[in-house]
């Protein structure tokens, strides 16, 4: 059973006090910060410059497709291009192309109106692999129309541009290969991040993380961050493998026909059942709408019901029912098999629970220090903490006498 704290992102405070994954915190902001893609960058810059200057001919292609393996920086490159060319970026995802009427409503103002805040505009279509190939439901046809009528350059990202359904897209777009990143370059990036984070790790360890990422820079950075938290390289790499595994299972539960084979799918995911429930809960709204959404949540509520009975009454035989509703029950909520692409997300409640635990820990530590100083019980100090907090917050002498650390003082001032 995996403990929850193995899943929490590391605590990283930026200047606004928020918490960021290192992939976001250290995302490149300039051309020179993008590694190993010099040829691609030159092609992209040339295309955007010619488009904005009106130098494209009738035979010129009006869209770029950045294609390559996951984690190589395709989406990041598009955002950097926008910043470097003073362009507003209008971003669309594969899921936006599900409904033909909706996409028309979204796209019309995007491709016709000038940016109010920037000199230029770029239309970014992310993860084109997930766009439906069916013309009657919106999808590739809508994307091709967007390319034809857009007054602004269109940048598209895809992992596999050679998929059959993307054949027409290939003919209308200029293809730019985003290369898999050599482990030596990944290693350099990891050391740069460690330097910025004021951390030190052994050379061989960073090399191992870089090699195990297999050209996926994003995965390497995630592994590095996980290791900085757990100090366990196997846990860092296992964490990434577990996330890939839960993505595969969610895809089967949400998209395929409900069969008895689904009942054992969660056994392959090395997560606690509580954690799996959070993943399912987070992603139900991304996959289901309307009546399907209601049925899925009804199944999830029954999971929670049996979970409560197991914990309160120790009726462990109810685990089988919990698993049935979490797999077959959620799957049976849909009316038809789903072929669209869905970008499943990590549960936000995990982060919220972790942050709450951190606040509770600080409250307890402050209350214990206060209880020792004034010779009262720790339980009483916790009960009277709202009053105690006000007293300590307004008196720096008491803070020094209690020997509060910086995080405890920050907690008092913030909450």
């Amino acid at each position: 059973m995996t403990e929850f704290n193995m899943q929490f992102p590391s605590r990283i405070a930026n200047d606004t006090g928020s918490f960021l994954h290192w992939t976001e915190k250290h995302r490149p902001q300039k051309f020179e910060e993008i590694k190993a893609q010099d040829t691609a960058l030159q092609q992209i810059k040339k295309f955007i410059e010619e488009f904005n200057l009106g130098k494209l001919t009738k035979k010129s292609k009006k869209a770029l497709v950045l294609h390559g393996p996951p984690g190589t920086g395709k989406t990041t490159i598009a955002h950097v291009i926008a910043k470097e060319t003073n362009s507003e970026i209008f971003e669309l995802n594969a899921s936006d192309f599900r409904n033909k009427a909706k996409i028309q409503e979204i796209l019309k103002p995007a491709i016709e109106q000038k940016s109010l805040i920037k000199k230029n505009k770029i239309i970014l279509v992310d993860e084109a692999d997930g766009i439906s190939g069916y013309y009657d439901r919106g999808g590739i046809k809508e994307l091709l129309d967007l390319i034809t009528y857009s007054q602004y350059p269109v940048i598209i990202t895809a992992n596999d541009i050679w998929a059959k359904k993307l054949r027409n897209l290939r003919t209308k777009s200029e293809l730019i290969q985003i290369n898999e990143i050599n482990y030596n370059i990944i290693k350099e990036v990891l050391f740069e991040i460690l330097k910025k984070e004021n951390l030190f790790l052994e050379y061989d360890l960073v090399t191992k993380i870089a090699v195990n990422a297999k050209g996926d820079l994003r995965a390497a950075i995630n592994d590095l961050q996980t290791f900085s938290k757990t100090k366990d390289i196997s846990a860092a790499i296992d964490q990434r493998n577990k996330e890939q595994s839960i993505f595969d299972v969610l895809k089967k539960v949400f998209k395929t026909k409900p069969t008895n084979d689904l009942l054992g799918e969660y056994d392959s995911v090395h997560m606690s059942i509580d954690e799996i429930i959070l993943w399912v809960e987070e992603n139900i709204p991304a996959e289901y709408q309307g009546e399907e959404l209601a049925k899925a949540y009804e199944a999830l509520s029954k999971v929670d019901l049996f979970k409560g009975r197991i914990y309160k009454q120790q009726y462990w035989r109810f685990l089988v029912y919990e698993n049935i509703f979490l797999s077959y029950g959620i799957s049976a909520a849909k009316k038809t098999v789903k072929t669209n692409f869905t970008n499943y997300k990590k549960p936000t409640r995990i982060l919220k629970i972790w942050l709450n635990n951190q606040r509770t820990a600080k409250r307890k530590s402050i209350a214990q220090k206060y209880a020792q100083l004034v010779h009262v019980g720790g339980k009483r100090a916790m009960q009277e903490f709202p009053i105690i907090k006000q007293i300590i917050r307004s008196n720096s002498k008491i803070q020094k006498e209690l020997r509060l650390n910086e995080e405890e003082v920050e907690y008092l001032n913030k909450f």
Side-chain angles (χ1 to χ4, degrees), residues 310-343:
I310 291 169
Y311 287 168
K312 290 179 182 178
Q313 303 170 21
Q314 296 296 294
Y315 288 172
W316 295 101
R317 64 181 182 273
F318 285 158
L319 274 172
V320 64
Y321 299 111
E322 190 176 5
N323 184 54
I324 288 171
F325 283 111
L326 193 60
S327 55
Y328 189 97
I330 298 292
S331 182
K334 60 179 171 289
K335 296 178 181 178
T336 59
V337 172
K338 296 182 181 294
T339 59
N340 58 286
F341 173 82
T342 304
N343 185 23

Side-chain angles (χ1 to χ4, degrees), residues 343-378:
N343 185 23
Y344 299 124
K345 297 179 180 178
K346 291 183 180 181
T348 54
R349 277 183 61 193
I350 288 180
L351 177 58
K352 291 175 183 176
I353 292 169
W354 181 76
L355 292 175
N356 183 65
N357 288 343
Q358 294 298 303
R359 290 195 288 269
T360 302
K362 291 183 181 66
R363 184 165 64 245
K364 286 181 178 178
S365 66
I366 295 170
Q368 287 171 357
K369 290 178 180 180
Y370 179 85
Q372 291 175 359
L373 181 68
V374 300
H375 305 290
V376 299

Side-chain angles (χ1 to χ4, degrees), residues 132-227:
S132 168
Y134 298 106
Y135 276 44
D136 58 335
R137 293 169 53 190
I140 294 299
K141 181 180 183 300
E142 301 304 318
L143 178 54
L144 296 175
D145 288 345
L146 164 64
I147 294 171
T148 301
Y149 298 113
S150 177
Q151 301 176 32
Y152 304 100
V154 178
I155 297 180
I156 302 162
T157 70
N159 293 333
D160 181 17
I161 188 58
W162 306 109
K164 184 178 179 181
K165 66 179 178 181
L166 300 181
R167 181 180 65 250
N168 291 333
L169 176 60
R170 293 195 297 270
T171 62
K172 277 205 169 188
S173 309
E174 183 176 338
L175 308 184
I176 297 181
Q177 172 76 45
I178 304 300
N179 298 317
E180 184 177 283
I181 304 174
N182 182 275
Y183 83 92
N184 284 313
I185 296 174
I186 292 178
K187 184 166 58 177
E188 290 176 10
V189 174
L190 298 185
F191 277 119
E192 289 176 6
I193 290 174
L194 288 171
K195 185 176 180 181
K196 292 175 183 176
E197 294 291 332
N198 293 317
L199 295 173
F200 173 79
L201 293 180
E202 293 181 2
Y203 183 87
D204 290 346
L205 178 61
V206 177
T207 301
K208 186 173 183 179
I209 292 175
V211 170
N212 275 293
K214 298 177 181 178
D216 187 333
L217 178 58
R218 180 173 55 226
I221 296 173
N222 284 334
D223 289 348
L224 185 72
Q225 183 176 8
T226 302
F227 178 82

